[in-house]
Amino acid sequence: MESPDSCWLASGPSWTQGDRLLPGRADVCVLGAGVMGSTLAYWLALAGLRPLVLDRNPSPAMGSSGRNAGRVIQGGNAQHAVAIDKLGHAEALAIYRATLVNRDLVREVTAREGLDAARTTTSKLDLTDSEEEALELKRTAAALQADGIAAEWLDLPEARRMFGTDLPDTVLGGLHRPDQDAVHSVAYVRGIAAAARRHGAQFGLGVRVTAVEDAQDGSWRVVTDSGEVVADQVVVALNAWTGHLLPELAPVITPVRGQLVQTAPVPFRIPQWGLDRGLVYGGQNQDGSLLLGGLRTTVPNRDENIELPEDGNTPAFSPELAERLTQALPALLPQTTGVPVVRAWSGVMAFTPDRCPLVGAWPGRAGLWVMAAFSGHGMPYSQVVSEQLAERIRGGAGKSIPTAFDPGRFL
Ligand SMILES: Cc1cc2nc3c(=O)[nH]c(=O)nc-3n(C[C@H](O)[C@H](O)[C@H](O)COP(=O)(O)OP(=O)(O)OC[C@H]3O[C@@H](n4cnc5c(N)ncnc54)[C@H](O)[C@@H]3O)c2cc1C
């Protein structure tokens, strides 16, 4: 079943600047006009290059970047204390710090490019009803405080106060982190793509890429359904479709369906939140409507390793998952009883085995770069990894990309 459009695609600015005429050459060819490809093009263009961005869609942000929950949260996929256990303190802190730099860059870029209306500041409350997770969240609060990052554990009464509406008695409390951002995903990504274009990037939209070939002369040939482009460097930013062009990466990229439901506006304000290690999560839009997503592991084999359409933007929409999310809402937020769900949609996420993305050079193939598989967590990195990858592409060190993201770990 086709997914309906997201609330962002339905209300976002349209893009009228598509161009199917491809230049024969480009200094850097960026594949994919999601948040990753568009933001990388922005930083490359700011640095004086003339990147060419190719996407099969007629507009940027029609893939997952225009179908997500718009939460630009901080921290990696795992809670900080768990990341320290897994990766060691230095690497876990490098990942967390990257997301703090990202937050600052999101604010800097939206202010500089006239996109302030696409961004809001909020806070994040990770709730739990399990003693085991409560310990993990308390350890995370302590670890973040020790690293000088604002975070605190709140017991249920304080969490209720912070939440602005009731929470079930089963909730034990939550980890509160202030100063998080949320964006109107389509206004944000198309705004950055338009800024990239103003600064000199070119967009080839409605163009399907079929192969990336080593031209054996120090350049790369990008084969498309509209002709070929020869580029000095190529960056593959195709989310879950990355394995279609780079088959060596297919075994480590699992396509996962994500779905969201949106309610009518409610008269109270809530922060961004997650429950049970993000099993369910949500937030609130500027118009007061609530978003609720997740529940994907509740039915085995339904949402993971899903079939990825070659040309579509999302896996099949699951009415059953939408129904489960709709039913879960009043149980989690009692004051939403009777508030109608007005929209539901799906998108695809690309998970790696270690839940860290693939960002960096392809080892041994000079000029080939990857920026993909953000494991459901792309917005916290999109600015920082793009700015730093643009630096690496220009021959610099790009040191703020955590080493845990190196694609070479799987190659
Ligand atoms: C329901 C849902 C909720 C989410 N919520 C959040 C959230 O709140 N916060 C967060 O950080 N992350 C969230 N995510 C994840 C986030 O959306 C992704 O990490 C992010 O959008 C990835 O960006 P991207 O540019 O890599 O991918 P995309 O936006 O999918 O871009 C990839 C592009 O590649 C193009 N493409 C693919 N194959 C080809 C080809 N052969 N030729 C030409 N073009 C091609 C596609 O058309 C697409 O435009 C969510 C995801 C989903 C599905």
Side-chain angles (χ1 to χ4, degrees), residues 34-36 55-57 64-65 68-69 71 209 239 347 376 378-380:
V35 68
M36 298 304 162
D55 199 292
R56 63 190 174 198
N57 284 314
S64 298
S65 302
N68 59 28
R71 307 182 326 156
V209 180
N239 190 6
M379 307 297 258

Side-chain angles (χ1 to χ4, degrees), residues 43-382:
W43 287 102
L44 288 167
L46 265 194
L49 295 180
R50 207 143 190 260
L52 170 67
V53 185
L54 301 180
D55 199 292
R56 63 190 174 198
N57 284 314
S59 311
M62 290 180 71
S64 298
S65 302
R67 299 173 174 276
N68 59 28
R71 307 182 326 156
V72 192
I73 53 188
Q74 290 146 36
N77 237 298
Q79 291 292 358
H80 193 46
V82 179
I84 291 173
D85 295 344
K86 278 207 303 214
L87 301 169
H89 182 254
E91 193 58 23
L93 186 56
I95 292 176
Y96 208 101
R97 285 216 172 115
T99 65
L100 293 174
V101 174
N102 187 77
R103 174 200 58 195
D104 295 344
L105 286 174
V106 167
R107 292 175 184 180
E108 179 191 312
V109 170
T110 47
R112 182 164 63 226
E113 304 299 345
L115 300 172
D116 277 332
R119 186 191 69 78
T120 45
T121 301
T122 168
S123 64
K124 174 108 196 286
L125 199 48
D126 293 313
L127 301 163
T128 184
D129 50 18
S130 101
E131 294 286 356
E132 189 198 339
E133 193 189 2
L135 277 179
E136 201 173 285
L137 296 175
K138 286 175 188 172
R139 278 203 306 129
T140 290
L144 287 171
Q145 285 163 12
D147 284 329
I149 298 164
E152 58 185 336
W153 166 263
L154 302 180
D155 288 326
L156 179 58
E158 296 164 280
R160 279 186 169 136
R161 257 196 305 282
M162 168 65 60
F163 216 69
T165 185
D166 207 4
L167 287 168
D169 289 337
T170 46
V171 171
L172 302 174
L175 171 71
H176 174 243
R177 288 173 294 160
D179 212 15
Q180 316 278 320
D181 284 5
V183 293
H184 181 301
S185 301
V186 168
Y188 174 70
V189 177
R190 288 191 185 156
I192 287 172
R197 204 174 145 114
R198 280 197 302 278
H199 292 293
Q202 309 167 81
F203 283 77
L205 299 175
V207 173
R208 187 166 180 276
V209 180
T210 53
V212 177
E213 296 168 354
D214 189 342
Q216 304 293 340
D217 60 359
S219 64
W220 291 87
R221 200 164 33 241
V222 178
V223 184
T224 81
D225 60 1
S226 307
E228 290 186 7
V229 180
V230 174
D232 301 328
Q233 313 205 50
V234 174
V235 187
V236 182
L238 298 178
N239 190 6
W241 289 271
T242 296
H244 290 191
L245 287 190
L246 303 175
E248 295 96 325
L249 286 177
V252 297
I253 300 179
T254 303
V256 175
R257 173 174 38 217
Q259 277 195 191
L260 287 164
V261 296
Q262 180 196 16
T263 69
V266 297
F268 50 84
R269 294 299 306 177
I270 61 168
Q272 298 178 6
W273 59 277
L275 178 70
D276 290 346
R277 298 192 175 91
L279 176 70
V280 268
Y281 63 88
Q284 188 166 29
N285 294 347
Q286 290 186 40
D287 66 1
S289 64
L290 302 177
L291 294 181
L292 180 87
L295 288 183
R296 64 185 160 72
T297 47
T298 48
V299 176
N301 306 324
R302 181 191 52 194
D303 307 303
E304 311 224 335
N305 254 320
I306 38 116
E307 197 171 330
L308 201 55
E310 189 73 30
D311 264 330
N313 283 306
T314 169
F317 176 77
S318 164
E320 188 238 331
L321 179 53
E323 185 53 35
R324 277 177 182 247
L325 286 166
T326 303
Q327 282 172 7
L329 192 62
L332 290 162
L333 303 177
Q335 270 153 283
T336 59
T337 306
V339 176
V341 162
V342 294
R343 188 180 282 273
W345 64 90
S346 64
V348 69
M349 302 178 281
F351 277 43
T352 60
D354 58 13
R355 303 291 188 264
C356 284
L358 306 166
V359 184
W362 190 293
R365 297 193 197 170
L368 180 62
W369 306 83
V370 186
M371 185 165 54
F374 283 81
S375 303
H377 210 69
M379 307 297 258
Y381 302 119
S382 59

